Amino acid sequence: MTSSPQDRTGEPDPLRALPLDRLKRRTSMKWRTYPEDVLPLWVAEMDVPLAEPVVRAVTDALRLGDTGYPAGTAYAEALAAFADKRWGWSGLAVERTALVPDVMLGVVEMLKLVTGPGDPVVVNPPVYPPFYQFVEHMDRRVAEAPLGADLRLDVEVLEDAFRRATAAGGRAAYLLCSPHNPTGTVHTAAELATVAALAERYGVRVVADEIHAPLVTGGARFVPYLSVPGAERGLALMSASKGWNLAGLKAALALAGPGAAADLARMPEEVRHGPSHLGVIAHTAALRDGTAWLDALLAGLDGNRRLLTALLAEHLPGITHRPGEATYLAWLDCRALGLGDDPAQVFLDRGRVALSSGIPFGTGGAGHVRLNLATSPEVLTEAVGRMAAALR
């Protein structure tokens, strides 16, 4: 049974724990890219303290001097237990997993296993910009299958992309973002089963980026791609990174369906040396002991989604916003404001709010911005006020 993120755990809302002056002492990308007078609501970092089980596990390891190379299957075992309890999926086979440095580097390695130079990789724009950057850097060709007007997978468009990608008889892959970044769309079991059927029909190999899987609202259900019928030859990447704000503690897991085990076994040994041992410890602790903290976070994010909807209706009614069912990101359609293709630049220059420009997200991104909801209600309110002031 899928557990509800609205369960009352007694944990305080981590989004309300840190004042702005303390956050500004951080030295990560979110807080050092722009001048101090800018409110940063762009890159996917959360304004939260770490879950205490994670802090304790990493601190204990440091005290012990346990800072060597990663080993064992504790991370995979913790993810399998989390998947069973959280999503009702008991099919995560520990023996068909491999440690990788992080999700995107894992994506690169999986694509290398199932495609060659020049082969097409289908993506669903608007989508996470590194899908373009990493794929093109590894000498593959991006083929777009845009989301529909409802921000969901368009099956006809996807099938046409698969048909074109394989028309010459070569290899092709589909890089699936699930849940979808930036829209927060949670793909249904039926949609994913259709994807699997199409992939098998056209010989397209699916690689699913499921990094946002823990961040699903109580009203939606995350379905692991490898759990749907027909996905036996699929590959997936998972991590505790987004759910527990662990981007700086590098570690992720590559997962293979039964029909892709031989592919995963061909992954070069040196890839497994990339993850941080402390990262593995942190991610394992998050999945095993950090679910109460996660539920408190999800409740706070739900509150912020409602707050953003109300703030936009009051102060920026020209912005169209469909609240997502997952992630801590909001995809805002600003085209009616007349700010051109890159409204993020206007909000930065005039309002001193940093948002992600929609342009790098591909087709459908112009005129949009992505806003990071994982902050305090006070900061979110201030940011929308600044955005509204930028239009006066």
Side-chain angles (χ1 to χ4, degrees), residues 56-345:
R56 185 166 56 247
V58 173
T59 302
D60 288 349
L62 289 172
R63 287 198 179 109
L64 188 62
D66 188 8
T67 53
Y69 300 105
T73 58
Y75 188 179
E77 291 165 12
L79 179 58
F82 180 87
D84 190 9
K85 183 176 181 180
R86 202 79 176 183
W87 308 318
W89 180 38
S90 58
L92 197 162
V94 171
E95 66 273 15
R96 292 199 304 273
T97 67
L99 279 173
V100 291
D102 59 31
V103 164
M104 278 311 302
L105 290 178
V107 163
V108 167
E109 294 301 327
M110 298 305 98
L111 289 175
K112 285 180 180 178
L113 294 175
V114 298
T115 64
D119 286 338
V121 177
V122 177
V123 303
N124 303 120
V127 73
Y128 185 49
F131 277 23
Y132 292 89
Q133 299 158 358
F134 281 61
V135 168
E136 291 168 354
H137 183 71
M138 61 184 293
D139 197 24
R140 270 60 170 175
R141 176 169 50 87
V142 172
E144 292 191 330
L147 298 177
D150 59 355
L151 303 182
R152 305 201 69 86
L153 298 177
D154 187 319
V155 173
E156 292 183 2
V157 169
L158 187 63
E159 181 171 12
D160 184 60
F162 283 5
R163 184 185 298 112
R164 287 184 284 107
T166 56
R171 295 191 293 175
Y174 172 39
L175 182 48
L176 171 68
C177 193
S178 179
H180 196 85
N181 175 4
T183 63
T185 304
V186 178
H187 309 304
T188 66
E191 287 171 330
L192 293 174
T194 299
V195 166
L198 289 175
E200 283 302 297
R201 182 184 308 166
Y202 290 96
V204 174
R205 299 299 299 276
V206 178
V207 177
D209 172 355
E210 298 179 327
I211 196 170
H212 289 279
L215 294 166
V216 175
T217 69
R221 175 174 173 259
F222 170 72
V223 179
Y225 176 71
L226 297 183
S227 73
V228 302
E232 290 80 11
R233 293 204 308 143
L235 295 158
L237 286 303
M238 287 190 176
S239 169
S241 173
K242 289 293 182 284
W244 286 267
N245 206 41
L246 303 176
L249 290 165
K250 293 284 189 179
L253 286 163
L255 319 177
D263 294 306
L264 187 61
R266 291 188 289 106
M267 189 177 73
E269 175 64 25
E270 61 266 22
V271 177
R272 302 171 190 261
H273 294 288
S276 158
H277 182 45
L278 287 177
V280 171
I281 289 171
H283 289 239
T284 303
L287 291 162
R288 186 181 57 215
D289 302 317
T291 54
W293 183 94
L294 176 65
D295 285 341
L297 169 72
L298 291 173
L301 289 173
D302 274 354
N304 275 4
R305 288 188 189 95
R306 292 190 295 271
L307 175 61
L308 178 63
T309 298
L311 290 170
L312 292 176
E314 180 180 357
H315 300 289
L316 289 164
I319 290 180
T320 302
H321 168 232
R322 182 184 284 113
E325 298 174 311
T327 81
Y328 48 77
L329 306 166
W331 186 239
L332 309 183
D333 183 347
C334 305
R335 287 175 292 180
L337 300 180
L339 302 180
D341 287 347
D342 193 9
Q345 191 63 50

Side-chain angles (χ1 to χ4, degrees), residues 22-81:
R22 184 172 170 189
L23 289 166
K24 287 183 175 181
R25 291 163 51 193
R26 291 183 170 181
T27 59
S28 62
M29 181 183 292
K30 180 175 183 179
W31 295 96
R32 287 294 180 266
T33 299
Y34 295 99
E36 190 172 339
D37 67 324
V38 172
L39 278 182
L41 275 70
W42 62 295
V43 73
E45 297 180 25
M46 293 195 284
D47 295 347
V48 293
L50 290 188
E52 185 54 37
V54 174
V55 174
R56 185 166 56 247
V58 173
T59 302
D60 288 349
L62 289 172
R63 287 198 179 109
L64 188 62
D66 188 8
T67 53
Y69 300 105
T73 58
Y75 188 179
E77 291 165 12
L79 179 58

